[in-house]
Amino acid sequence: MTIRLPSLTSLRAFEAAARLRSFKKAAGELSVTATAISHRIRVLEEYLERPLFLRKVRAVELTPDGLTLFTAVHSGFETISAAIKHIQKPRRQSVMLSTTPAFATKWLIPRLVFFQEAYPDIDLHIHASNTPVDLNTGTVDLAVRYGLGQYAGESATLLLEDHFAPVASPTLLTTINQDASQWPLIHFDWHHPLPVDLTWGAWAQASGLKPSDLSTGMRYFEESHAIQATIAGQGVALLSLLLIEEELRLGVLQVVTKPSLKGMAYHVLKSSQYPVSEAAAIVENWLLRIAHKNVADIMK
C-alpha cells in the first residue's frame, strides 16, 4: 500500500516551528528565512485543509489538529534520528591473534578479562596452534611466538623472556632425594626443532650429569599437558617459569633445585608488508603493556 504524506520539507518546518513556538527560531535552526517557514507551513495547512497554528504577535500556538500532528511528527523524527545514529555507530572490530596452545592457556587467557574490560568494542579471537601462520595473507592479524626473534617477512617485538627449571608438586618433593637420576621425570615434545636445547638432556649437562641419566619417564605431546601432570604429582618436569608463574606464586608447584636454563623469548609478530588495523595495533600495545607489568610484578 502506498503511503501518501506531505513533503518532508514542510513537515520539518512544521516540527521545528511547533517545538520552538516560533517561525523565526525555526528559520534559524533550519538556516532558512522566516518567510520560507511560513510558506512551507501554509502549504502543509492547505494540504490538510486544517489550520495548524494560532498566529499571534510574538509567538504561535498549536491548534488541536496541530498538536496531534506535532506529536506524531516529532516522535517520527526522533525514531528516524535514533535509527540513523544506530546505523552510523562504529562497527565492532575483530582481531585474530595466533599463539601456541601452552602460551594461550597459561599466560594469555587468564589476562583476557582485563582486555575485555578495557576494550569492549574489540572482539579478540584466539587461534591456538603450534603451526606458524603466514601473517602476510591477511587471515591472522598478530601472532605471539617463541624463538630468537628472527622471523622472515614479519616484524617482531620482544614480549617476554623465559627460563626453565625443574619443578614438582610440594607432595612429590617430600618423596624424592637430591639424585636427579632417580627422579620420576616428565618430558614433553617440542613440535619444531629449537635453536636452544631446553630438554632434560641439556639440564643434565648443566648439572654435571650424563644426558642418558635423565632420559626415562613419562612423555606428553603438549607442554600444557605436562604442566597439568606435574601439578598432579606425576613427576618432575623441566618447565617454563613464565608459564607456571601463577602455580609458583600459589605454591602449587615449586622449583626443585638449580640450575635454571635460559630459554628463548616470546615475541609479538605482525606483517612487515602490510600495516595492521587500528584494532590490531591496540591489541599489540595492550600485550606489551601487560607483559611489562608482568615483569615488574615478578621483580618486586
Side-chain angles (χ1 to χ4, degrees):
M1 181 180 68
T2 303
I3 300 176
R4 297 185 57 192
L5 293 173
S7 72
L8 180 59
T9 301
S10 295
L11 290 174
R12 286 187 65 201
F14 165 75
E15 190 277 337
R19 175 167 38 83
L20 300 171
R21 305 286 175 164
S22 168
F23 286 6
K24 182 178 180 180
K25 291 180 180 179
E29 180 177 289
L30 299 178
S31 300
V32 297
T33 64
T35 301
I37 293 293
S38 179
H39 172 73
R40 292 171 185 175
I41 291 174
R42 187 176 299 110
V43 169
L44 182 60
E45 289 177 322
E46 290 175 356
Y47 177 87
L48 297 172
E49 299 180 350
R50 296 286 192 280
L52 300 174
F53 290 99
L54 296 176
R55 292 162 174 81
K56 298 186 177 181
V57 177
R58 297 186 181 277
V60 292
E61 292 183 4
L62 287 167
T63 65
D65 288 332
L67 180 59
T68 299
L69 181 61
F70 171 71
T71 301
V73 171
H74 181 69
S75 175
F77 281 171
E78 284 192 329
T79 301
I80 293 171
S81 176
I84 290 174
K85 288 180 180 178
H86 176 75
I87 293 170
Q88 291 179 330
K89 185 171 65 175
R91 294 172 182 252
R92 294 182 65 85
Q93 294 180 288
S94 63
V95 175
M96 180 70 76
L97 172 64
S98 177
T99 187
T100 62
F103 186 82
T105 301
K106 303 304 297 180
W107 192 91
L108 179 60
I109 291 175
R111 292 167 170 80
L112 287 184
V113 62
F114 303 116
F115 179 84
Q116 292 168 333
E117 290 175 354
Y119 305 103
D121 293 331
I122 298 178
D123 294 324
L124 182 57
H125 303 281
I126 306 302
H127 172 262
S129 173
N130 288 305
T131 302
V133 295
D134 185 353
L135 295 174
N136 295 312
T137 63
T139 304
V140 176
D141 300 287
L142 300 169
V144 174
R145 290 295 168 189
Y146 192 60
L148 298 178
Q150 300 170 351
Y151 301 91
E154 295 167 349
S155 171
T157 303
L158 176 65
L159 186 66
L160 292 161
E161 294 182 326
D162 198 15
H163 289 80
F164 281 69
V167 298
S169 69
T171 301
L172 183 64
L173 270 176
T174 63
T175 67
I176 62 177
N177 55 38
Q178 294 299 313
D179 185 359
S181 66
Q182 301 302 309
W183 293 346
L185 299 181
I186 292 176
H187 306 257
F188 65 88
D189 295 327
W190 291 99
H191 295 269
H192 303 282
L194 298 182
V196 177
D197 191 354
L198 297 172
T199 65
W200 274 117
W203 189 86
Q205 289 182 321
S207 304
L209 301 172
K210 294 184 296 183
S212 58
D213 292 337
L214 303 180
S215 59
T216 61
M218 300 183 66
R219 183 172 296 276
Y220 288 90
F221 184 71
E222 288 289 348
E223 185 177 4
S224 57
H225 296 166
I227 293 173
Q228 291 305 119
T230 310
I231 294 172
Q234 295 179 8
V236 182
L238 187 67
L239 296 178
S240 161
L241 299 183
L242 178 66
L243 296 188
I244 61 167
E245 61 185 13
E246 183 68 7
E247 287 78 5
L248 293 173
R249 186 182 69 82
L250 295 174
V252 176
L253 292 176
Q254 296 179 13
V255 174
V256 179
T257 186
K258 295 181 179 180
S260 63
L261 300 180
K262 181 174 174 54
M264 296 188 293
Y266 288 94
H267 296 81
V268 182
L269 308 183
K270 59 186 176 183
S271 172
S272 59
Q273 298 181 20
Y274 307 103
V276 297
S277 67
E278 179 182 352
I282 289 173
V283 173
E284 179 185 16
N285 290 333
W286 175 81
L287 285 169
L288 295 173
R289 287 200 310 273
I290 291 293
H292 177 77
K293 181 179 184 301
N294 184 87
V295 172
D297 289 344
I298 292 174
M299 295 179 64
K300 286 182 179 179

